[in-house]
Amino acid sequence: MIQPTELQTARDTLQRAIFSGVRRVQFTDRSVEYNSVDDMRKALADLDMQIAKAAGAVPSSFSLATHSRE
């Protein structure tokens, strides 16, 4: 299992890449090239979820419903 400090380091690295406009990220022993910033943001959200789980926090979630009268 990945340690929480490793998850945080990966998150920080990914966030720096997003802010700098780079799509290729080096994580310790491997390199990942993302197709889009959206993919990077999804990966960042996944890392946030994993960090929260490792810390024992339960992330909040919600659903949004929309209705149309067409």
Side-chain angles (χ1 to χ4, degrees):
M1 183 166 175
I2 298 174
Q3 297 299 312
T5 54
E6 293 175 280
L7 291 170
Q8 187 62 50
T9 300
R11 185 196 186 286
D12 294 344
T13 302
L14 183 56
Q15 190 167 37
R16 269 190 237 100
I18 291 170
F19 289 143
S20 66
V22 176
R23 288 187 298 135
R24 182 180 294 268
V25 181
Q26 181 73 35
F27 296 108
T28 52
D29 61 340
R30 65 187 180 104
S31 178
V32 178
E33 184 167 350
Y34 293 91
N35 292 321
S36 67
V37 173
D38 189 50
D39 287 345
M40 295 172 83
R41 288 187 178 131
K42 288 176 185 176
L44 188 64
D46 183 54
L47 283 166
D48 286 339
M49 179 85 66
Q50 290 181 43
I51 291 167
K53 284 181 183 178
V58 178
S60 62
S61 64
F62 67 93
S63 297
L64 178 64
T66 60
H67 301 278
S68 175
R69 293 183 184 224
E70 295 181 36

